[in-house]
Amino acid sequence: MIFKIEDVTVYFPYDNIYPEQYEYMVELKRTLDAKGHCLLEMPTGTGKTIALLSLITSYRLSRPDSPIKLVYCTRTVHEMEKTLAELKVLHDYQVLHLGTQAKILAIGLSSRKNLCVNTKVLAAENRDSVDAACRKRTASWVRALSTEKPNIELCDYFENYEKAAENALLPPGVYTLEDLRAFGKNRGWCPYFLARHMVQFANVIVYSYQYLLDPKVAGIISKELQKESVVVFDEAHNIDNVCIEALSVSVRRVTLEGANRNLNKINHEIDRFKANDAGRLLAEYNRLVEGLALRGDLSGGDQWLANPALPHDILKEAVPGNIRRAEHFVHVLRRLLQYLGVRLDTENVEKESPVSFVSSLNSQAGIEQKTLKFCYDRLQSLMLTLEITDTDEFLPIQTVCDFATLVGTYARGFSIIIEPYDERMPHIPDPILQLSCHDASLAIKPVFDRFQSVVITSGTLSPIDLYPRLLSFTPVVSRSFKMSMTRDCICPMVLTRGSDQLPVSTKFDMRSDPGVVRNYGKLLVEMVSIVPDGVVCFFVSYSYMDGIIATWNETGILKEIMQQKLVFIETQDVVETTLALDNYRRACDCGRGAVFFSVARGKVAEGIDFDRHYGRLVVMYGVPFQYTLSKILLARLEYLRDTFQIKEGDFLTFDALRQAAQCVGRVIRSKADYGMMIFADKRYSRHDKRSKLPGWILSHLRDAHLNLSTDMAIHIAREFLRKMAQPYDKTGTMGRKTLLTQEDLEKMAETAVQDMAY
C-alpha cells in the first residue's frame, strides 16, 4: 500500500498496516524532521522492523537533494539476516512502483568468519584464528614476498579483488551475508573486503552494535560514515551494557603469561630485523619522531584494530621519546607486566580509581601516564614494522596495551577492581584485574554527536525515562506504544503462592525452601497437562536451574512432567543448546509437546523466538536480578548514584524487569499468535516491581490476576485456552480495527486535516 504521512509518500509492501505501525512511523518522521534522537518502545510482534525500514527509505526518496544513509545495528547475525530479508521485500515493492529511481544498495557486514569464502581460512576454529589466517594471506609484505618465493600461499579471492581495483563494485540491490558470499564466489572476489569497501557507497548498512560502539572496530569500519546518517539500534534494551563492555578490559594470570611470551617473540623479531634490515626499524623511529603514529594509507589486509579510546580522547601528537625505539618500548611493557603481576598477587579485594592506579604505577615502575596513552598505537606500529601476521597469538599483549591506553586516557567513569578469586568459588585462586567502565554514555556519546538522528527502539524500554539519564542525551521524541488487538491474546498472571497457600519466591532466604521448590514443580506439572505444544521456563541463573531440576528429579516431579511432554535444557555450551532447541522444535512440530528450561540471562532469552505453537506458555521463575555481590556491579551502582542520582534499588529493579519482560515477550511474535505469561514470584505483586514492566504487558494484566495460587492460575489458563480456540475476525470489528487499509488511512488523514481547520 502507498499512503502519505504529511509530505512523505510511504511505500509499505503489505495490504494492511497496524495502527501502532502507523503511529510509529509518524513519530519517526517527526524525529527525522527535527534532526534529533528518539526512544521508541514498540510491542514485540507488531512489525517494528518493516515500519522503520519503510519510513526511512521512503523519507530518503522524498528528499532526493539530501539523501540520508541508514545504519541499522542489530545484536545478532540472525537478526541481521531477518532485517535484510524484510528490506528485500520492501525494495522489490518500491522498484515495482517507482522503477530504477528506487534502487538502493543495502549490505550486511559481519566478521571474516561469516563472510569468508576461502575454505582453508575457514578451517580455523574461532574468529580470531580466521582473522589471523586471512592476514597471513593478504598482508602487503606477504604478497610482496610471494613474487620472490612462489610457494607462499596467497588468497586468490583477495588477489582478484585487488586486481579489479576501482571496478570491484556491487551492483544496486539488497545483499544478505549469503548473497555476498555467492556474489564473491561467482566473481572470484573476496566478499569481506568488498563489503568493507562498499560501506561508503551503500544507502543501507546492517551490522552489529560493536561496529559503532566499540572504538577499536568503529575506528576502522565506521569512520567514513557521513553525518547525514540515521542510526537505528534495534532491540536496544541492553544498550547500556553493550556500551560498558566496549570500554572494559580484564587481565588474568594467563593474559600476563601470554603477553610475556609475545614480548619474547617480539624481541626475537627485533634482533632478526637489526641483523637483516635495520633500515626498517630506523624508518619507523623517524616516522614516530615526526609524530606519525601510523601510516594513514594502509591497505585493507594490513589494517589492525583501531585505538581502544574514543576518537576525541586520542592525543594528536608525537609518540613520547622513551618508547620510540622498539627495544625501549618492549622494556616499558616488561615493567608494566611485572607491576600487573605484583598487583595480581593479592589476598584481598582491591578497588581504586584510574588516577591512583596510574600514580602508583609511575612511582613503582616509572611509567608515566602519557606513555600509557600511547601503548596501543605504539604496539600497532611495531607489529606492522615487524611484519607480524599471527594476530591471534598476540591477543594477550594487545589486551595489556588496551588496558594501558584506557587507564592512561580516562580518569572518570572507571574503576580498577582486583579480585583474588571468584566469590562463588572461593577455594580456587583465580586472580583477575578488571578495568571496569561504569558510564554507558562514554561509548555512545560520539555516536550522538556525530550523526543526525539516532533511533533507540525495542519491545522493552520501560521505564522509558531512565534511558536518557543512563546514556545522558535529550531525545526529541520518547514514546511507548500499546498493542491494538481484536482479542486479548496475551494473558499475563502473577503467581504468588502454591496450592497449599505457601508463598513462592526466589529470594535468597526462600529459594532453597523445599516448599517453594515443590510448589514451583507442581505448577509446571499442572500446566503441562492442560497447555498444548510448547512451554518455556526461565530461571534466574544456571546454578539455580541445576539445583531445582536435581530436586525435581529426586522427588519424582520431573518424571510427572515427562509423562506429558519431553524436557529440553539450555546449557552453557552453544552447540548443546542449539541441538536442544532444534529437538524442542521437532517435538512441538510432531504434536508430542515439549518443555524448554532456560536461563533469564542466557543465550536463549535474547535472540530466540518461541512463536506460534513453539511457545504457548512462558513461566518466569523468580525475579532475574544480577548477582548483587559482584564488586563491578556495586562500583557501577555507586557511580550511578553519585553521578546520575539513580538509586541502587531502582536500577537493580529496572534491570531485572527489563530482562523478565524480554523473556516473556518471546512467546508473542504476531497478532495472530497467543500465549500466557506467568510471573511466579510473590515480589511481582508489589506495585514498585510490577510498574516497571512494559505498558503492552501491563495493559493486559488484570487486577484479578495479580495474586494467584496454582489452582486459580490453572482455572484462568483453561478459560483462556478455550477462548483462544474460537474463530475470530483478524481485521477487527466492533470499533476496534487492528488492520488498517489504504482507505482507512486516507480517512484518518482527512479527519486530521479537518480537525486542524477547526
Side-chain angles (χ1 to χ4, degrees), residues 418-469:
I418 306 168
E419 294 181 84
Y421 50 77
D422 187 334
E423 282 195 356
R424 284 166 277 197
M425 290 180 285
H427 51 284
I428 302 172
D430 179 22
I432 180 168
L433 184 147
Q434 298 172 84
L435 174 69
S436 173
C437 174
H438 307 315
D439 193 345
S441 63
L442 283 174
I444 204 168
K445 188 179 184 296
V447 180
F448 284 136
D449 293 346
R450 197 174 138 202
F451 298 110
Q452 182 173 303
S453 292
V454 178
V455 179
I456 292 178
T457 184
S458 176
T460 31
L461 287 178
S462 296
I464 206 161
D465 57 337
L466 200 56
Y467 283 88
R469 287 161 73 193

Side-chain angles (χ1 to χ4, degrees), residues 649-663:
D650 286 354
F651 179 77
L652 285 170
T653 304
F654 148 77
D655 183 61
L657 285 171
R658 68 174 164 183
Q659 206 59 47
Q662 197 55 28
C663 293

Side-chain angles (χ1 to χ4, degrees), residues 555-755:
T555 52
I557 289 175
L558 203 59
K559 199 172 179 187
E560 285 181 62
I561 295 168
M562 289 175 75
Q563 281 170 352
Q564 303 287 343
K565 295 184 190 296
L566 298 177
V567 173
F568 298 94
I569 301 172
E570 175 190 1
T571 65
Q572 282 161 309
D573 184 288
V574 180
V575 180
E576 274 183 13
T577 302
T578 311
L579 193 64
L581 265 172
D582 200 37
N583 286 325
Y584 168 81
R585 290 212 161 98
R586 282 173 56 200
C588 292
D589 288 339
C590 72
R592 175 73 172 83
V595 184
F596 194 81
F597 289 153
S598 181
V599 172
R601 291 179 186 275
K603 293 271 181 288
V604 174
E606 285 295 334
I608 310 293
D609 298 340
F610 294 99
D611 52 342
R612 309 190 319 280
H613 61 292
Y614 298 129
R616 289 301 182 207
L617 163 70
V618 61
V619 185
M620 181 73 238
Y621 284 117
V623 185
F625 285 110
Q626 287 189 53
Y627 177 58
T628 45
L629 295 177
S630 154
K631 296 291 180 290
I632 290 178
L633 178 63
L634 291 171
R636 185 180 177 197
L637 291 173
E638 188 185 321
Y639 181 82
L640 290 175
R641 188 189 62 226
D642 297 346
T643 314
F644 300 116
Q645 288 73 54
I646 297 171
K647 291 181 192 153
E648 286 102 323
D650 286 354
F651 179 77
L652 285 170
T653 304
F654 148 77
D655 183 61
L657 285 171
R658 68 174 164 183
Q659 206 59 47
Q662 197 55 28
C663 293
V664 296
R666 301 282 106 208
V667 292
I668 295 288
R669 303 318 286 178
S670 78
K671 301 266 185 97
D673 208 351
Y674 63 88
M676 294 179 291
M677 307 166 174
I678 296 179
F679 296 95
D681 194 306
K682 65 173 189 173
R683 289 173 290 180
Y684 285 111
S685 62
R686 284 170 47 185
H687 182 262
D688 67 318
K689 297 275 188 288
R690 198 176 66 245
S691 61
K692 290 187 171 62
L693 286 169
W696 58 275
I697 294 180
L698 283 177
S699 59
H700 291 89
L701 186 57
R702 300 180 196 155
D703 289 347
H705 295 178
L706 280 181
N707 188 3
L708 302 177
S709 63
T710 304
D711 40 359
M712 291 156 75
I714 297 296
H715 175 69
I716 291 166
R718 279 207 170 98
E719 289 293 309
F720 174 76
L721 290 167
R722 195 174 300 138
K723 203 162 75 181
M724 288 299 108
Q726 309 308 314
Y728 77 107
D729 176 15
K730 285 189 175 66
T731 55
T733 48
M734 304 184 303
R736 277 209 298 186
K737 261 207 143 171
T738 60
L739 280 177
L740 303 177
T741 59
Q742 203 154 331
E743 292 87 70
D744 293 331
L745 290 176
E746 282 160 13
K747 275 182 202 161
M748 280 166 67
E750 276 171 33
T751 50
V753 170
Q754 286 166 3
D755 290 350

Side-chain angles (χ1 to χ4, degrees), residues 188-476:
W189 295 341
C190 169
Y192 172 74
F193 284 104
L194 178 64
R196 282 257 306 261
H197 173 57
M198 294 309 292
V199 162
Q200 52 193 320
F201 307 111
N203 309 105
V204 181
I205 306 158
V206 185
Y207 58 26
S208 156
Y209 280 28
Q210 272 72 17
Y211 286 33
L212 262 189
L213 295 177
D214 187 338
K216 296 197 287 296
V217 189
I220 296 175
I221 306 284
S222 307
K223 66 173 187 285
E224 262 110 35
L225 298 179
Q226 62 261 41
K227 182 172 172 47
E228 293 73 38
S229 298
V230 177
V231 176
V232 175
F233 289 108
D234 194 10
E235 297 295 338
H237 47 277
N238 279 342
I239 191 162
D240 53 319
N241 293 339
V242 178
C243 293
I244 276 168
E245 281 162 22
L247 290 176
S248 297
V249 186
S250 300
V251 176
R252 292 174 182 272
R253 272 271 149 70
V254 191
T255 321
L256 297 184
E257 287 162 10
N260 265 316
R261 283 197 302 275
N262 295 161
L263 287 184
N264 292 340
K265 192 162 181 183
I266 286 173
N267 251 340
H268 179 70
E269 290 293 310
I270 291 170
D271 293 343
R272 190 169 67 82
F273 267 84
K274 272 185 179 168
N276 303 337
D277 191 359
R280 281 189 71 93
L281 290 168
L282 188 65
E284 184 199 34
Y285 176 78
N286 292 333
R287 204 174 65 245
L288 295 174
V289 171
E290 288 163 27
L292 307 171
L294 258 187
R295 291 166 291 187
D297 54 347
L298 290 178
S299 74
D302 293 355
Q303 276 186 342
W304 204 269
L305 288 174
N307 193 304
L310 299 165
H312 54 78
D313 296 325
I314 297 169
L315 288 181
K316 305 283 189 290
E317 55 184 89
V319 172
N322 61 340
I323 57 170
R324 282 182 198 155
R325 288 208 182 280
E327 53 273 38
H328 292 175
F329 176 56
V330 171
H331 188 58
V332 166
L333 287 183
R334 285 244 192 255
R335 295 208 306 273
L336 176 63
L337 290 180
Q338 205 173 349
Y339 176 77
L340 293 177
V342 170
R343 291 303 300 264
L344 277 177
D345 270 337
T346 178
E347 290 179 10
N348 305 312
V349 174
E350 294 175 19
K351 177 191 165 213
E352 63 180 314
S353 69
V355 177
S356 75
F357 184 87
V358 169
S359 72
S360 87
L361 177 60
N362 192 2
S363 62
Q364 292 180 37
I367 302 172
E368 294 174 359
Q369 184 181 0
K370 192 173 174 187
T371 309
L372 289 172
K373 275 189 187 185
F374 279 100
C375 271
Y376 197 85
D377 282 343
R378 183 66 191 90
L379 177 75
Q380 199 173 352
S381 171
L382 183 59
M383 298 283 243
L384 286 167
T385 305
L386 298 177
E387 300 182 345
I388 288 171
T389 50
D390 304 332
T391 45
D392 54 337
E393 268 184 51
F394 285 83
L395 285 175
I397 194 69
Q398 282 180 59
T399 306
V400 171
C401 287
D402 248 14
F403 171 83
T405 303
L406 288 169
V407 88
T409 307
Y410 296 104
R412 285 188 68 255
F414 286 78
S415 290
I416 286 154
I417 296 167
I418 306 168
E419 294 181 84
Y421 50 77
D422 187 334
E423 282 195 356
R424 284 166 277 197
M425 290 180 285
H427 51 284
I428 302 172
D430 179 22
I432 180 168
L433 184 147
Q434 298 172 84
L435 174 69
S436 173
C437 174
H438 307 315
D439 193 345
S441 63
L442 283 174
I444 204 168
K445 188 179 184 296
V447 180
F448 284 136
D449 293 346
R450 197 174 138 202
F451 298 110
Q452 182 173 303
S453 292
V454 178
V455 179
I456 292 178
T457 184
S458 176
T460 31
L461 287 178
S462 296
I464 206 161
D465 57 337
L466 200 56
Y467 283 88
R469 287 161 73 193
L470 279 175
L471 304 174
S472 64
F473 77 108
T474 312
V476 290

